[in-house]
Amino acid sequence: MKAFTRFHERHPVVTAMAGAAALTWLFQRLRAQLFPVILPEPTGPYDVGRAAFDWVDPQREEPYARRGNRLRELSAWLWYPAEPERGAKPGSYLPAGWRLTSLFWRFQASRVRAHAIPGAPVARPRQRHPVLVFSPAGFPPLYYSSLFEELASHGYIVAAVSHTYEALPLSAFADGRLRLFRPASVGGALKASHASHDEDVHARAEVVRVKAEDLRSLINELERLDAGSGLLAGRMDLERLGAFGHSMGGNAAVELCARDERCRAAANLDGGVWSTVGQEGLPKPLLELFAEHPEYVQSCARSVDQKVFTSVEYCEANREFAVDGWQRLYARALPGYSVQILGAGHASFTDCGLLPLKRGSFAKQALGTIEGRRMWRVLSDYLRAFFDRHLQGAPAPLLDGVSPFYPEAVLAPPASLFPPSPGS
């Protein structure tokens, strides 16, 4: 005590700051215990397990490294049907280094409660489960946990790749290594562009190519895991494999499915189509799920005033490119489904509508008006209906017409969902 008193007399500012930090930590800990934010309870018959792994792709150089001659290193998270031991507890929503990302997205990660149990045994020995591979965009894969837990509880193994250098503000490997975000990994998509539209199409198509190759690498790694002796060995039915993704990750999922015969069906969650698949189409089952996107129905002058685009010319080119790409995909898919979720914003396809985001969070501005749990319900049910039908041959009447239980879902071709306003 005497030593502390002497230190305080010499360094009063330091001890005051330490005391304030201690009080802040104590307050946050108490709030996390007294006022937890619990993700929606999965509705399927299975409990959910979670695992992570890293690997190196020996065939590819790292496209975003500052120094050459480095191989592409990747990480993935898996959610799967599980039979946990009695008393097993769910893991942290954001484990290890990923917890640092909550500072950027402005929420207290320790308050959030997920349901997946790390390393739990896979459900039903000798049964194989269909597999879904997922590509995020900007958000860490763990920020889609509520959706993945729901799908896994209904019998799917979901493998979400972490595109190294893409997650904001950092990517974390399962072994604890961190990689800071690099702007080239998103092709300038985080702000209104001052480049030409053709330049942006080229840059973003290159990002999508890298992401699609990451998904291909993930499938290769899943094949090795399935043939091995670990947790998921012999448990993945890779003959029933689908791909989905959000934003440019949605484009990557469709691009992968067009180039890789192992993929049987793809879903695009609100992703623009920058790569060649938007011109050529996907002759496989395809689901496109959209937010509202007022920038594609209001006048371009208004969108420029709102700083969505930097010029009317860019707006017109982007709108035509986006809507035409979505429409071609829909028309050429075998079959194609197109659903707009009213009230959804671009970030509504993540967990962000369920998280205790603070004022000023970048994601909060992109959430739209739909309530978080309702968005989770609608999104989960349409995705599950699509993959149930096309990977498992199950009935999916939800895809066949408007349902009175889902008034937020508008089933229509993309060109009908996003008609330009008169005079625009």
Side-chain angles (χ1 to χ4, degrees):
M1 188 66 186
K2 290 182 179 179
F4 175 81
T5 302
R6 287 195 299 270
F7 183 87
H8 174 67
E9 289 172 348
R10 295 176 183 177
H11 308 284
V13 174
V14 173
T15 55
M17 291 176 63
L23 286 173
T24 299
W25 176 84
L26 180 61
F27 173 75
Q28 290 182 342
R29 189 175 179 86
L30 287 172
R31 184 168 62 170
Q33 292 177 351
L34 296 174
F35 304 103
V37 176
I38 303 173
L39 296 183
E41 185 81 25
T43 63
Y46 296 104
D47 290 317
V48 180
R50 188 180 73 183
F53 64 94
D54 304 330
W55 77 100
V56 177
D57 188 331
Q59 307 299 323
R60 301 164 60 209
E61 289 191 3
E62 173 54 63
Y64 305 122
R66 293 197 173 96
R67 296 186 300 274
N69 300 318
R70 292 183 59 183
L71 295 176
R72 180 70 161 162
E73 294 183 277
L74 293 162
S75 183
W77 284 89
L78 287 86
W79 288 257
Y80 55 88
E83 290 181 356
E85 296 178 359
R86 186 184 299 273
K89 296 185 180 301
S92 299
Y93 175 68
L94 296 182
W98 287 112
R99 201 165 301 147
L100 296 171
T101 64
S102 65
L103 300 175
F104 175 86
W105 295 104
R106 295 184 58 78
F107 70 97
Q108 186 182 340
S110 60
R111 288 184 63 194
V112 183
R113 303 285 191 272
H115 304 280
I117 298 169
V122 185
R124 292 191 185 180
R126 297 181 299 278
Q127 179 178 342
R128 288 179 177 266
H129 299 276
V131 177
L132 304 175
V133 294
F134 179 85
S135 172
F139 292 94
L142 290 151
Y143 283 53
Y144 302 83
S145 291
S146 62
L147 174 60
F148 299 159
E149 289 182 343
E150 174 68 359
L151 292 170
S153 79
H154 286 275
Y156 289 94
I157 294 175
V158 182
V161 64
S162 172
H163 300 287
T164 310
Y165 297 113
E166 180 196 80
L168 289 162
L170 56 83
S171 305
F173 287 92
D175 64 11
R177 290 173 296 136
L178 305 178
R179 295 289 184 268
L180 293 178
F181 168 78
R182 290 185 182 164
S185 68
V186 296
L190 296 180
K191 59 184 179 180
S193 176
H194 291 275
S196 72
H197 191 260
D198 287 345
E199 289 173 324
D200 280 343
V201 170
H202 177 78
R204 293 171 193 179
E206 177 59 21
V207 169
V208 168
R209 184 193 66 79
V210 172
K211 291 166 72 68
E213 285 300 314
D214 287 350
L215 284 175
R216 188 192 302 273
S217 181
L218 171 61
I219 297 172
N220 294 341
E221 192 66 19
L222 293 177
E223 288 181 337
R224 284 190 285 272
L225 291 175
D226 190 63
S229 58
L231 176 69
L232 292 161
R235 313 311 303 280
M236 291 180 278
D237 186 351
L238 294 164
E239 296 296 317
R240 294 185 292 167
L241 184 140
F244 68 129
H246 176 222
S247 194
M248 278 197 280
N251 187 172
V254 179
E255 184 71 28
L256 167 89
C257 215
R259 312 296 170 204
D260 195 318
E261 289 302 317
R262 294 173 294 182
C263 176
R264 291 178 51 185
N268 177 6
L269 279 56
D270 207 40
V273 185
W274 307 96
S275 64
T276 54
V277 73
Q279 303 297 320
E280 299 170 358
L282 173 68
K284 295 178 182 178
L286 170 70
L287 171 65
E288 297 183 285
L289 286 160
F290 299 108
E292 288 202 350
H293 291 289
E295 72 273 19
Y296 290 150
V297 296
Q298 68 190 16
S299 72
C300 278
R302 184 174 183 185
S303 292
V304 172
D305 288 342
Q306 295 173 343
K307 303 188 185 305
V308 178
F309 302 108
T310 54
S311 71
V312 169
E313 293 75 19
Y314 189 104
C315 168
E316 291 172 344
N318 182 261
R319 179 163 61 192
E320 181 179 3
F321 183 86
V323 177
D324 284 359
W326 289 331
Q327 181 63 31
R328 275 191 296 271
L329 279 177
Y330 169 78
R332 297 176 185 177
L334 297 174
Y337 309 91
S338 172
V339 183
Q340 184 181 56
I341 303 176
L342 298 179
H346 193 57
S348 300
F349 294 84
T350 72
D351 285 341
C352 288
L354 303 164
L355 300 178
L357 300 178
K358 297 177 183 177
R359 185 176 299 175
S361 170
F362 174 71
K364 201 165 191 174
Q365 302 169 30
L367 275 177
T369 58
I370 190 169
E371 192 270 331
R373 287 178 179 263
R374 184 57 186 169
M375 178 68 188
W376 168 80
R377 181 74 279 146
V378 177
L379 175 61
S380 298
D381 287 356
Y382 274 91
L383 271 175
R384 189 160 63 85
F386 173 72
F387 287 120
D388 281 356
R389 171 176 284 183
H390 293 291
L391 296 185
Q392 306 196 68
L398 195 59
L399 300 175
D400 296 330
V402 175
S403 167
F405 301 105
Y406 300 86
E408 308 90 343
V410 179
L411 280 68
S416 297
L417 295 174
F418 303 107
S421 63
S424 66

